[in-house]
Amino acid sequence: MKVAVIGCGYVGLATSVVLADLGHEIIGVEIDPDKLSKLENGRCPIYEASMQEMLSGNISAGRLSFTGECNEGCRDSGVIFLTVGTPTNETWQIDLSQLEGAIDSVAESLKSRNPDAGVPVVVIKSTVPSGTMDYLHERLSARVTGPFLMASNPEFLREGQAIYDTLYPDRIVIGADDETVFKVMDELYAGLIQQDFDPEPPRPARPDNFHHPVPVVRTKPRSAEMIKYASNAFLATKISFINEIANVCEEVGADIGDVARGIGLDTRIGSQFLRAGIGFGGSCFPKDTKALHQHAGSRGYTFTLLNAVIEVNRIQRYRFLAKIRRKLDPLSGKTLGILGLAFKPGTDDIREAPAIDLMRELKRDGARLRATDPKAIANARDLFSSCEYFDDPYEVARDADAIILVTEWPEFMDLDWNKIAGLMKGNIIFDGRNSLDRDKIEALSLRLIGVGR
Ligand SMILES: NC(=O)c1ccc[n+]([C@@H]2O[C@H](COP(=O)([O-])OP(=O)(O)OC[C@H]3O[C@@H](n4cnc5c(N)ncnc54)[C@H](O)[C@@H]3O)[C@@H](O)[C@H]2O)c1
């Protein structure tokens, strides 16, 4: 099937690369000239495991190409995905301007569509409040005369595992008002639903316990849109919940690691998203929780629980910062080594990354900062230049009064702590993710301070 993907960011690229890999003919449309130039030259503008290899392979095979012209993408495509950004503004309201811009470009492009290409299905993959597809349908209807269909098909991938999650989804959600749309989407996703592809490299391996056919939730568009927000709100709630339990553990002398394990073994609860730390960041949870809260409020419903989830997450970073300030008082003139800048391991994304907030505060207190990250240094440097960045994690330990683990990259789990102890001036390791091996570290002359223990 010929498919256009408008917006080649984390979601658009994962969608493009995987659908091309399953045999579809994909044309990615991107307006950012830097990103487009990289893509046209076969270079992936973001870091995701397997993405560069699969991008190169599918470009060479002639199944994947990129353009800056929306009409090139829309001329012949049976499906047109919209995968542009949907940020929130200061009042937590969702900013639909990228989607409006994209839908207006699609409208313009459909005027010169190949008449033999059939009725296009315009699919909203961006995360949006319930009712947005209907709004975009009206906007498109007002601008085109020819027929078109629409679907809501929210995306659930996790950054850091974008290709893996796209190949092996827990479910596929399709919201539409027309039976034809479900048929088109079934055809498009047949390879994923039936898993009838070889999970050979560069594709990530299929997990042993992966069940297929992949469940498909077919519903009305407003429900599909709500499924995405509700999923992210629930996961964010789990994180804020365990962080609050961790804070209580600190007061009563309990250990959050054991408590979380004890909770998570209950199959009704599950063990995922129960690691206490400095809270969630990234491009999705912060904005999606705020957008859902604001959206509910705009309809007269006060989402009390979600407000608390957001507030707990905001405070959690400052609780951790307060610990650093207390232990190292005064911070002025102290040297701090920062391990991890990306908002989570496996990505170079620093949107709403706790590390950036933390570094800004520490710098304001007069600390000298030395930081590292396996993939996100370039992005972090663009946003925050008052720090020395090093590729070598051991360099951040040199003369450091303390080390702060902010992102739990696997690379940091295997560090030689003996060597680090030798390089440091001080002896405190702050573990913002409760990920480091306490016994190993405290067997040296180092002191580990985590969250909730
Ligand atoms: N990043 C994630 O982990 C994730 C997961 C699930 C859902 N989502 C949702 O998917 C959507 C996209 O997220 P993302 O992280 O990929 O965003 P992103 O900012 O990485 O990518 C969006 C891309 O769209 C491009 N763009 C904007 N307007 C355009 C236009 N008119 N024509 C062509 N290109 C245009 C931008 O230049 C950018 O490259 C958002 O709604 C987000 O909430 C993201």
Side-chain angles (χ1 to χ4, degrees):
M1 196 183 284
K2 287 191 176 175
V3 177
V5 178
I6 301 179
C8 298
Y10 288 83
V11 169
L13 281 175
T15 305
S16 302
V17 163
V18 166
L19 288 178
D21 213 50
L22 297 180
H24 296 295
E25 197 179 314
I26 311 295
I27 179 157
V29 182
E30 174 55 54
I31 45 166
D32 180 321
D34 290 341
K35 268 188 199 171
L36 178 61
S37 148
K38 284 185 182 141
L39 288 166
E40 284 176 327
N41 288 302
R43 280 190 294 133
C44 188
I46 56 169
Y47 175 74
E48 274 293 335
S50 306
M51 197 178 263
Q52 178 64 65
E53 297 88 321
M54 287 173 69
L55 183 99
S56 306
N58 284 289
I59 291 175
S60 303
R63 289 186 297 262
L64 179 59
S65 62
F66 296 94
T67 177
E69 303 299 326
C70 189
N71 58 355
E72 267 184 53
C74 295
R75 189 175 302 132
D76 292 306
S77 296
V79 170
I80 300 167
F81 277 107
L82 300 192
T83 50
V84 299
T86 49
T88 42
N89 63 21
E90 318 73 61
T91 55
W92 297 9
Q93 207 166 9
I94 192 133
D95 170 5
L96 290 177
S97 58
Q98 289 186 42
L99 267 177
E100 289 166 341
I103 210 87
D104 291 355
S105 301
V106 169
E108 205 45 45
S109 305
L110 290 183
K111 290 179 187 162
S112 54
R113 184 171 168 79
N114 173 0
D116 299 329
V119 177
V121 181
V122 179
V123 181
I124 313 300
K125 205 174 234 320
S126 302
T127 303
V128 290
S130 283
T132 302
M133 197 201 93
D134 291 343
Y135 159 66
L136 293 172
H137 192 286
E138 267 176 40
R139 194 175 172 107
L140 193 51
S141 296
R143 287 165 172 74
V144 293
T145 47
F148 67 91
L149 293 163
M150 276 186 100
S152 162
N153 170 216
E155 178 56 58
F156 299 95
L157 67 78
R158 296 163 290 180
E159 276 181 37
Q161 302 186 58
I163 295 287
Y164 176 93
D165 286 347
T166 310
L167 276 172
Y168 309 116
D170 291 336
R171 78 299 210 187
I172 292 172
V173 174
I174 311 287
D177 297 318
D178 192 304
E179 205 43 49
T180 316
V181 174
F182 292 120
K183 286 203 186 102
V184 172
M185 297 307 284
D186 277 351
E187 191 188 329
L188 178 72
Y189 284 135
L192 287 181
I193 295 167
Q194 299 304 334
Q195 293 284 302
D196 58 3
F197 58 87
D198 216 0
E200 290 299 312
R203 292 173 181 153
R206 182 179 291 130
D208 290 340
N209 56 357
F210 188 74
H211 294 297
H212 58 86
V214 169
V216 180
V217 180
R218 296 180 183 83
T219 181
K220 54 185 182 177
R222 284 172 191 240
S223 305
E225 291 165 329
M226 183 54 82
I227 288 169
K228 172 64 193 178
Y229 269 132
S231 299
N232 274 4
F234 185 77
L235 294 171
T237 302
K238 263 186 123 176
I239 297 172
S240 280
F241 175 81
I242 203 66
N243 280 336
E244 289 236 271
I245 295 287
N247 298 341
V248 180
C249 283
E250 284 182 9
E251 300 305 321
V252 301
D255 184 314
I256 190 63
D258 294 340
V259 172
R261 180 155 187 274
I263 302 171
L265 285 169
D266 185 327
T267 50
R268 294 168 303 173
I269 298 173
S271 58
Q272 293 197 49
F273 283 75
L274 288 183
R275 176 170 297 162
I278 52 177
F280 55 79
S283 68
C284 290
F285 286 0
K287 84 170 171 67
D288 292 347
T289 47
K290 288 173 183 166
L292 177 56
H293 186 275
Q294 202 282 339
H295 184 58
S298 74
R299 303 300 155 102
Y301 183 78
T302 306
F303 203 146
T304 312
L305 175 64
L306 199 52
N307 198 42
V309 168
I310 295 165
E311 184 59 7
V312 167
N313 192 60
R314 189 186 67 79
I315 294 169
Q316 196 68 7
R317 286 179 198 190
Y318 291 97
R319 274 185 67 92
F320 188 64
L321 182 65
K323 248 183 221 177
I324 299 172
R325 285 182 172 138
R326 261 196 320 273
K327 296 288 174 205
L328 295 177
D329 187 46
L331 266 174
S332 182
K334 297 263 165 48
T335 299
L336 302 178
I338 311 288
L339 292 175
L341 300 160
F343 85 91
K344 67 190 286 200
T347 179
D348 59 353
D349 197 346
I350 52 157
R351 289 179 281 185
E352 301 262 349
I356 305 294
D357 274 0
L358 208 60
M359 290 201 299
R360 285 210 173 101
E361 291 287 338
L362 295 169
K363 192 76 205 172
R364 212 170 287 146
D365 289 345
R368 277 194 294 263
L369 302 174
R370 299 164 72 82
T372 188
D373 188 283
K375 298 289 174 196
I377 290 179
N379 286 343
R381 191 180 272 129
D382 284 349
L383 206 65
F384 184 77
S385 56
S386 315
C387 171
E388 280 187 278
Y389 292 100
F390 300 92
D391 290 326
D392 178 0
Y394 294 101
E395 273 307 309
V396 308
R398 193 173 295 283
D399 295 327
D401 292 280
I403 302 267
I404 308 170
L405 177 94
V406 189
T407 317
E408 67 280 31
W409 282 92
E411 287 87 332
F412 300 150
M413 300 305 125
D414 299 327
L415 290 173
D416 177 348
W417 289 97
N418 202 15
K419 181 170 170 185
I420 288 180
L423 288 164
M424 287 177 71
K425 193 159 75 192
N427 70 340
I428 303 181
I429 314 294
F430 293 97
D431 182 357
R433 299 292 179 181
N434 278 1
S435 294
L436 297 173
D437 185 335
R438 175 179 293 271
D439 293 341
K440 206 155 98 185
I441 288 175
E442 294 205 325
L444 302 160
S445 53
L446 299 171
R447 172 145 186 245
L448 187 80
I449 298 176
V451 176
R453 34 177 60 147

